[in-house]
Amino acid sequence: MPLLLQNKFFRTTLGIIFILLILYLGEKVSVLFSPVGRIVNLLLVPFMFAGFFYYLLRPLVNYLERRKLKRPLAILLIYLVFLALFAIFWVAVWPTLQEQIQNFINNAPFIVQDIQFQFNKLSDNPVIGRYLGGESDLTARLYQYLQNAVTWVTNSMSNLITVISNIVVVIATLPILLYYMLKDSHKLPRILLGLVPRKYRKEGQEMLADIDSALSSFITTRVLLNVILGALLYIGFLIIGLPYALLLALVSIPLNFIPYIGAILSAIPILAVGFIESPMTALWSLIIIVVAQQIQDNLLTPIITGKTLDIHPMTTVILVLVGGEFYGIIGVLIALPVYMTIKIIFLKVYEIAIVGKMDEY
């Protein structure tokens, strides 16, 4: 037996067997881990938002600290500024937004009829009608599309309800979590490095620095780019007179955090509202979306980010699909940051375990 343990292949195989055995036994007693899973699900949303705002506000807190303002006071000052901005939003923006939301809710039951009416008008055109088919075929296809959309929305409601149910927890815990994250952020690397063997402390410190830099760059650049995109869309919608311009522009900002798919999801309600107004309005809305996206991707992104993330588009799509399958909309939003973190850890471990061993020889 000692001779077998000295065989590298045998040790690797034995390790794989033990890992599979642990996973199998863990699945058999999964009921014991269900409370842990519920706790993780409960804390995931507030910690996600706290981390999001942490990377946005940390540069500002560091700047104020360099200006000889104590860190706790700097954080409280930023909180006061946010309260002032919220008050301005409540007075200047919310009435218009509330009116548009209320009008949209009141007109929602008539959206299907309005879309069908516009399609019927197009089918009456002799040039366009030949491509749309007969009125009965158009009606059947239209209702099939609407039925599929309703099914998709129904299947997604459970994820939406889960997010909404955590709003109270987020509101209650977010300011407290964010305060201590900003105040004691320098302590976390020390704690994590304490778990790393002393001989690998330098590599561990480099790995934490790479993860921190990647997450900070990803979050800050995405927020800035999406806010600018929302502003461009809003200006364009005002020019063409699109109804619910402010509401649609604000909805597009969080949706565009979802790579690739988010742009399509945000365009659907915009084009639907534009088409209800008139087919020409829908066409102009599409032109505005494409122009704004091109400005963001080809002009602003190279300037703001400096370099693109080393993630293949196919990998991004797969990550979004897998994240949505496991954690719904939350999984979609955190898929890329989690992947970036795991990738940095894997590359650093590979560099230590494989490349380092090869250098020794």
Side-chain angles (χ1 to χ4, degrees):
M1 188 67 177
L3 293 176
L4 288 176
L5 290 175
Q6 294 177 7
N7 185 286
K8 185 176 180 180
F9 174 77
F10 179 79
R11 293 200 310 269
T12 304
T13 305
L14 192 62
I16 294 174
I17 292 174
F18 274 116
I19 292 174
L20 294 176
L21 181 61
I22 292 172
L23 294 175
Y24 174 77
L25 294 177
E27 193 274 337
K28 289 299 180 181
V29 293
S30 58
V31 66
L32 298 177
F33 300 100
S34 58
V36 178
R38 287 196 293 268
I39 293 174
V40 171
N41 290 332
L42 180 65
L43 297 178
L44 179 62
V45 174
F47 269 97
M48 182 190 74
F49 280 102
F52 176 82
F53 284 104
Y54 165 76
Y55 280 109
L56 286 180
L57 300 180
R58 186 181 61 177
L60 184 56
V61 173
N62 293 338
Y63 171 78
L64 293 176
E65 190 177 29
R66 290 193 299 268
R67 303 292 292 183
K68 308 304 181 182
L69 189 64
K70 291 185 178 180
R71 200 170 186 86
L73 291 178
I75 299 170
L76 293 177
L77 178 61
I78 293 173
Y79 277 20
L80 291 176
V81 172
F82 263 90
L83 287 176
L85 292 175
F86 179 78
I88 295 173
F89 171 84
W90 188 264
V91 173
V93 180
W94 176 246
T96 302
L97 183 61
Q98 184 182 28
E99 181 183 359
Q100 293 187 6
I101 294 174
Q102 189 61 48
N103 290 337
F104 185 83
I105 293 174
N106 294 335
N107 295 327
F110 308 103
I111 289 178
V112 175
Q113 293 90 331
D114 292 339
I115 293 177
Q116 184 177 1
F117 174 75
Q118 292 292 348
F119 267 113
N120 290 338
K121 285 180 61 177
L122 288 176
S123 63
D124 292 337
N125 188 296
V127 178
I128 302 177
R130 69 177 67 178
Y131 298 102
L132 295 178
E135 182 176 344
S136 59
D137 295 337
L138 175 63
T139 303
R141 290 201 303 271
L142 176 62
Y143 275 101
Q144 183 63 42
Y145 294 148
L146 293 176
Q147 184 178 359
N148 294 338
V150 171
T151 302
W152 179 83
V153 171
T154 303
N155 293 335
S156 302
M157 280 302 293
S158 59
N159 297 327
L160 181 61
I161 292 172
T162 301
V163 175
I164 294 175
S165 65
N166 288 327
I167 287 179
V168 176
V169 178
V170 171
I171 294 175
T173 58
L174 177 58
I176 301 173
L177 288 174
L178 180 59
Y179 174 82
Y180 285 104
M181 289 177 69
L182 290 170
K183 178 177 175 291
D184 301 327
S185 59
H186 60 284
K187 297 181 180 180
L188 181 59
R190 300 177 191 171
I191 297 173
L192 295 177
L193 287 175
L195 304 175
V196 179
R198 186 175 299 273
K199 61 182 296 187
Y200 298 121
R201 293 281 172 86
K202 181 181 178 182
E203 290 80 2
Q205 190 172 8
E206 293 175 353
M207 182 183 68
L208 291 178
D210 290 342
I211 293 174
D212 182 71
S213 176
L215 292 178
S216 177
S217 176
F218 175 78
I219 292 174
T220 53
T221 54
R222 292 312 303 172
V223 169
L224 184 58
L225 287 171
N226 288 340
V227 169
I228 295 175
L229 176 64
L232 292 174
L233 292 176
Y234 180 59
I235 294 172
F237 296 159
L238 288 179
I239 293 175
I240 65 174
L242 183 70
Y244 317 112
L246 179 60
L247 176 61
L248 293 173
L250 289 178
V251 168
S252 69
I253 293 176
L255 286 177
N256 275 282
F257 277 96
I258 305 174
Y260 301 109
I261 302 175
I264 299 175
L265 294 178
S266 64
I268 291 175
I270 295 171
L271 296 179
V273 171
F275 186 74
I276 291 173
E277 190 72 9
S278 72
M280 186 56 65
T281 303
L283 178 61
W284 278 112
S285 300
L286 179 61
I287 292 174
I288 290 172
I289 293 172
V290 172
V291 170
Q293 289 284 354
Q294 292 301 312
I295 293 175
Q296 183 199 49
D297 295 338
N298 299 319
L299 180 62
L300 297 177
T301 299
I303 296 175
I304 295 175
T305 62
K307 59 179 181 179
T308 57
L309 294 173
D310 187 19
I311 303 177
H312 194 276
M314 182 60 69
T315 303
T316 302
V317 173
I318 293 174
L319 289 171
V320 169
L321 294 176
V322 173
E325 178 66 24
F326 280 95
Y327 274 101
I329 188 171
I330 299 299
V332 169
L333 293 175
I334 67 175
L336 277 182
V338 170
Y339 169 78
M340 291 161 55
T341 303
I342 295 175
K343 181 180 179 180
I344 292 172
I345 295 174
F346 174 80
L347 291 177
K348 182 58 67 173
V349 172
Y350 176 82
E351 179 183 342
I352 296 172
I354 305 299
V355 179
K357 292 291 185 182
M358 293 177 62
D359 292 339
E360 292 180 2
Y361 291 107

